[in-house]
Amino acid sequence: MPVSDVNIAIRFIFNGLGDCNVPRLTMASDEPKAKKQKVSAEKKTESPTKKTHAELSPNSLFGMGNPLLDIIAVVDKDFLDTYSLKPNDQILAEDQHKALFEEMVKKFKVEYHAGGATQNSIKIAQWMIQEPHNIGTFFGCIGKDKFGDILKEKAKATHIDAHYYEQDEEPTGTCAACITGDNRSLVANLAAANCYKKDKHLDLEENWKLVEKAKVYYIAGFFLTVSLESILKVAKHASENNKLFCMNLSAPFICQFFKDNLMQVMPYVDVLFGNETEATAFAKEQNFKTEDIKEIAKKAQALPKVNTKRQRIVVLTQGKDETVCQSDTVETFPVLKIDPKDIVDTNGAGDAFVGGFLSELVMDKPMDQCVKAAHYAANVIIRRAGCTFPEKPDFK
């Protein structure tokens, strides 16, 4: 990507921090009574068998992406000044920030969480499902270091089955959340997350067996910048075996600067997520000649698709307005009500939306139920700091 374009991308790249498809749940009506359109059903097939949580098998949901260790702490102004940080900002780490992460751990009381856009969505899906554990599998690259060990521990604590490619050339990716009052200054160091190797991890027999066990696959668009060949291998497997492959547009810069990679994967995409900003950027790059979200969803749904047994589903959030879903027809779903004063942090809400959706999708639930779960999960996450959640969901 040209240097001049990096600033456009910065606030979207890490940890779902660009609200990659955040519904920004501020004002809306209650969930609608929508017709129960099946998301995962093949065309012209009988009604699906509804699965309960207990009937789900481990490794039914597969995710692959950029794992980051979130490091969260309340810091002081001197700390921000030392590293030339603004109180409320999102940046990628530069040379001057290399010592920030270790110093933050030494000077302040920190919390650690397993982060990164795709990993967030997988852990949210697992949280929504609760049991059995290890429904979600996650692949990504980390370093052989202390932060890598902590990340493995934190991922395990969320009951996902994380299998990382561990290498010693780059340190584990981290995202520091430096909190001062109501402000959060975010500094991300992608590091090892950029180093995933298909031949050294995905292709290994024991790892590929985990891929084969899954029935639903999800990869955020950010990973298009890391390992297109890995995405294509998983996407082709899903298509050839009539499984569900899901992808997120993730950020406008993905639609713009990684358009060729995105469009190599698009023919295999069964469920496409995005928000209105990403959708508009995608439409412009695809020459759709419209900024109407419903029309964009319709045109994206109609793009060429390899597995013709399933129609593509397009799910687009648009701020305080309703979520748009396109398959056979277009449907809209109002987001949940929330008092603006109850909103703590919208970072990670887009990842939570996808995680909630996937938690129902993997159980063959109809689209209205998938969207309902998506709105619920995002609504919970924006009431808390970071992509964190209570012990158990209150969702039916």
Side-chain angles (χ1 to χ4, degrees), residues 57-64 118-119 122-123 126 134-139 159-163 207 210-211 213-214 216 218:
S57 301
N59 310 113
S60 294
L61 174 64
F62 176 84
M64 182 166 58
T118 300
Q119 188 164 231
I122 298 300
K123 74 179 188 181
Q126 180 67 60
N134 296 330
I135 294 299
T137 309
F138 178 76
F139 286 4
H159 308 302
I160 65 172
D161 192 15
H163 291 259
N207 291 333
L210 292 172
V211 177
K213 290 178 69 175
V216 176
Y218 173 68

Side-chain angles (χ1 to χ4, degrees), residues 156-342:
K156 185 177 181 180
T158 63
H159 308 302
I160 65 172
D161 192 15
H163 291 259
Y164 300 115
Y165 166 49
E166 300 181 45
Q167 48 75 60
D168 52 16
E169 295 180 8
E170 289 287 341
T172 297
T174 48
C175 179
C178 306
I179 302 173
T180 52
D182 294 331
N183 297 313
R184 288 163 62 88
S185 186
L186 306 171
V187 185
N189 180 26
L190 299 179
N194 279 324
C195 300
Y196 189 83
K197 304 295 182 186
K198 171 179 171 290
D199 59 334
K200 294 184 178 180
H201 193 259
L202 185 67
D203 291 343
L204 300 183
E205 183 178 0
E206 63 270 26
N207 291 333
W208 186 249
K209 284 182 178 178
L210 292 172
V211 177
E212 291 178 320
K213 290 178 69 175
K215 55 180 285 188
V216 176
Y217 303 82
Y218 173 68
I219 300 176
F222 298 121
F223 204 57
L224 289 165
T225 71
V226 176
S227 185
L228 173 62
E229 61 275 19
S230 295
I231 298 175
L232 285 172
K233 181 172 182 178
V234 172
K236 289 176 180 178
H237 167 79
S239 179
E240 290 166 0
N241 292 275
N242 198 28
K243 300 176 180 181
L244 278 162
F245 181 80
C246 312
M247 176 159 269
N248 202 319
L249 294 175
S250 293
F253 84 89
I254 295 293
C255 305
Q256 297 162 346
F257 306 118
F258 295 90
K259 176 173 65 176
D260 291 345
N261 287 9
L262 176 61
M263 296 317 292
Q264 284 188 58
V265 180
M266 190 60 66
Y268 304 99
V269 175
D270 295 300
V271 183
L272 179 67
F273 297 99
N275 69 17
E276 77 278 23
T277 306
E278 298 149 10
T280 301
F282 181 72
K284 183 178 180 181
E285 293 299 322
Q286 298 303 314
N287 198 29
F288 284 171
K289 297 181 179 178
T290 182
E291 293 186 358
D292 182 87
I293 297 301
K294 292 180 181 178
E295 283 299 309
I296 293 171
K298 183 177 180 180
K299 289 179 179 291
Q301 190 268 344
L303 289 170
K305 191 169 183 295
V306 173
N307 182 6
T308 57
K309 294 179 180 179
R310 301 180 186 274
Q311 277 200 321
R312 178 179 293 123
I313 306 293
V314 180
V315 183
L316 301 177
T317 60
Q318 44 179 354
K320 62 180 175 57
D321 298 321
E322 69 268 13
T323 295
V324 173
C325 299
Q326 171 73 48
S327 56
D328 291 322
T329 59
V330 65
E331 292 188 69
T332 59
F333 301 84
V335 299
L336 291 170
K337 288 180 179 179
I338 185 170
D339 190 320
K341 67 179 177 58
D342 292 330

Side-chain angles (χ1 to χ4, degrees), residues 11 17 26 29 33 37-38 44 47 49 59 63 75 92 94 115 155 157 169 178 206 255 266 270 312 379-380:
R11 74 183 189 90
L17 295 175
T26 53
S29 61
K33 294 180 180 179
Q37 182 177 0
K38 184 68 167 57
K44 299 178 182 179
S47 297
T49 300
N59 310 113
V75 303
L92 291 179
E94 300 176 359
E169 295 180 8
C178 306
E206 63 270 26
C255 305
M266 190 60 66
D270 295 300
R312 178 179 293 123
N379 189 276
V380 169

Side-chain angles (χ1 to χ4, degrees), residues 378-389:
N379 189 276
V380 169
I381 265 58
I382 64 175
R383 298 171 187 268
R384 303 168 64 90
C387 191
T388 61
F389 37 81

